[in-house]
Amino acid sequence: MTVATDIVVIGAGPSGLFTVFQAGMLKMRCHVIDSLQIIGGQCTALYPEKPIYDIPAHPKVLASELIELLEAQANPFHPVYHLNQQVQKISQNNDATFTVSTSANKHINCKAIVIAAGCGAFGPNRPPLENLHLYEQKSVFYAVRNKADFANKNIVIAGGGDSAVDWAINLVDTAKKIMLVHRRDKFRCAPDSADKLQQLAKQQKIELVVPYQLHGLTGCDGNLEQVSVIDFNNNIRHLDADCLLAFFGLAMDLGPIAHWGLNLNKNHIVVNQATMQTSQAGIYAVGDIATYSHKLKLILTSFAESATACHDIFKIVFPDQVFHFEYSTSKGVA
Ligand code: FAD
């Protein structure tokens, strides 16, 4: 499948999302690719419930709320998101455009690329289960995007950290049944959450399947029917389940970016701070992945970097137009 756009943004973290807004204000369209199932980068994947205090004009904002606001700010420009797929290859075409290819076999032609890839591609740590890929996206998930997707379902949640416990608690009123599988009887989560979990277990609203670990999946056409679990004495239990939510943390990897021929310095992409262009014309980098002298790795820095990059890209996308600077208060959000 091949599509065309002005800019491909690699990474849907805060800097990628704000790049969509800045590009949109200059009438440039974006497709955004991320290896995670949900947008938000580190904010969503690592600390959604933590308050951030150093975003200008927001004395305190939850990381998840910041992402919702950035998504809303980008929405008027209709970005196309390609989630759950990693950008693997970038190639330059004879007419100086680029083709960006993803692990889902999507090919996107564009005039410029903005790499907003943080510390590299995040991916969920997948449990080592046979035939796992047959169920992924259909009944095995590594994130919850919409609670309603789990309404009246029998859900097995696997993992012992904050994500597993928080979602077990959070989905109690939505799901038909929740079974929380962990290889120990102690959970590595915030003390408040541990107390809440024990209360819900006592009220038989959550079944604690401990100490067990995942052993196998059975079902048909990607629809899960049972999750089997095993304990240290090789006792196996078969849990009737419609879906499995596995929370075993995230792996980070600079991955294919290291092989795109860009100048790198200690796993970061070297850019010209005046334009945010990398060593390759037409390819830009912003946010945590971009480096230059005295770089501050902060969200607020990345916002200015996105603006700088998009203003430089304007001349690539519209080579025949003269750029006239206008404040957003004058031109509005069109
Ligand atoms: P990221 O948020 O890392 O997003 C990059 C995205 O790119 C990821 O989703 C990744 O999956 C994707 N990606 C990478 N490679 C590929 C590929 N090849 N194909 C597809 N997708 C790819 N900053 C502050 O300013 N203030 C704070 O208070 C603050 N607190 C923090 C607290 C914690 C616990 C942590 C971990 C970080 C904190 N930070 C804070 C740092 C802040 O989160 C980062 O600076 C910010 O997330 C960087 O944004 P980004 O968009 O550049 O990258």
Side-chain angles (χ1 to χ4, degrees):
M1 179 186 146
T2 304
V3 288
T5 189
D6 295 322
I7 303 175
V8 164
V9 180
I10 302 173
S15 60
L17 295 175
F18 197 63
T19 300
V20 173
F21 171 77
Q22 283 294 331
M25 291 297 278
L26 298 173
K27 306 242 180 291
M28 301 184 289
R29 296 160 304 141
C30 294
H31 280 228
V32 186
I33 305 165
D34 203 296
S35 50
L36 289 178
Q37 284 181 347
I38 49 176
I39 63 168
Q42 293 175 48
C43 292
T44 318
L46 301 181
Y47 59 106
E49 299 303 324
K50 282 204 162 102
I52 306 178
Y53 299 98
D54 57 354
I55 303 297
H58 290 275
K60 180 179 175 185
V61 60
L62 288 185
S64 56
E65 282 169 3
L66 175 68
I67 295 306
E68 281 166 21
L69 291 167
L70 286 167
E71 183 183 20
Q73 198 169 18
N75 271 346
F77 304 109
H78 309 292
V80 180
Y81 294 103
H82 306 270
L83 299 178
N84 201 32
Q85 52 202 288
Q86 191 185 43
V87 175
Q88 294 192 315
K89 198 172 149 211
I90 289 178
S91 44
Q92 188 150 27
N93 308 312
N94 290 337
D95 59 357
T97 60
F98 297 94
T99 302
V100 175
S101 305
T102 79
S103 51
N105 214 16
K106 265 184 204 150
H107 306 283
I108 307 174
N109 290 337
C110 60
K111 296 171 185 161
I113 296 170
V114 176
I115 304 175
C119 356
F122 283 115
N125 288 319
R126 294 175 157 80
L129 298 174
E130 209 181 312
N131 293 335
L132 179 70
H133 64 283
L134 299 178
Y135 299 94
E136 285 178 319
Q137 300 290 343
K138 270 193 153 179
S139 49
V140 172
F141 305 96
Y142 305 103
V144 177
R145 193 169 167 90
N146 187 356
K147 274 171 72 170
D149 295 343
F150 298 92
N152 297 319
K153 299 260 167 87
N154 291 316
I155 308 174
V156 171
I157 297 180
D162 281 310
S163 301
V165 173
D166 288 350
W167 278 117
I169 294 170
N170 225 298
L171 288 168
V172 155
D173 295 328
T174 307
K176 186 169 170 193
K177 181 172 182 189
I178 291 188
M179 295 152 274
L180 180 57
V181 177
H182 183 38
R183 64 200 156 102
R184 296 199 191 93
D185 54 6
K186 285 233 155 52
F187 290 85
R188 290 171 284 103
C189 62
D192 282 359
S193 310
D195 292 347
K196 185 94 202 272
L197 179 69
Q198 294 304 335
Q199 277 170 26
L200 290 165
K202 263 191 208 136
Q203 294 163 16
Q204 300 187 335
K205 291 189 172 169
I206 294 176
E207 182 184 348
L208 299 182
V209 185
V210 290
Y212 279 91
Q213 48 193 350
L214 298 178
H215 184 60
L217 306 173
T218 40
C220 189
D221 292 336
N223 299 311
L224 208 52
E225 286 163 12
Q226 282 191 330
V227 174
S228 49
V229 294
I230 189 164
D231 72 6
F232 297 114
N233 299 317
N234 289 334
N235 297 310
I236 294 177
R237 277 186 64 189
H238 302 286
L239 310 171
D240 290 339
D242 303 306
C243 39
L244 167 68
L245 275 166
F247 294 112
F248 296 118
L250 294 162
M252 282 185 214
D253 181 10
L254 195 59
I257 297 172
H259 309 292
W260 294 344
L262 305 171
N263 274 359
L264 299 178
N265 182 6
K266 295 186 187 147
N267 278 339
H268 291 81
I269 300 174
V270 178
V271 295
N272 171 0
Q273 193 185 352
T275 59
M276 301 310 290
Q277 191 163 249
T278 67
S279 54
Q280 157 108 38
I283 304 183
Y284 294 73
V286 298
D288 276 13
I289 195 135
T291 191
Y292 45 82
S293 172
H294 293 87
K295 161 89 178 191
L296 266 182
K297 261 197 193 183
L298 285 174
I299 294 168
L300 71 90
T301 320
S302 78
F303 291 161
E305 293 170 353
S306 297
T308 302
C310 288
H311 280 81
D312 204 62
I313 292 170
F314 182 87
K315 64 177 188 289
I316 300 176
V317 174
F318 303 112
D320 303 326
Q321 286 186 31
V322 180
F323 174 70
H324 295 290
F325 179 83
E326 265 184 299
Y327 288 123
S328 69
T329 41
S330 317
K331 64 179 164 186
V333 178

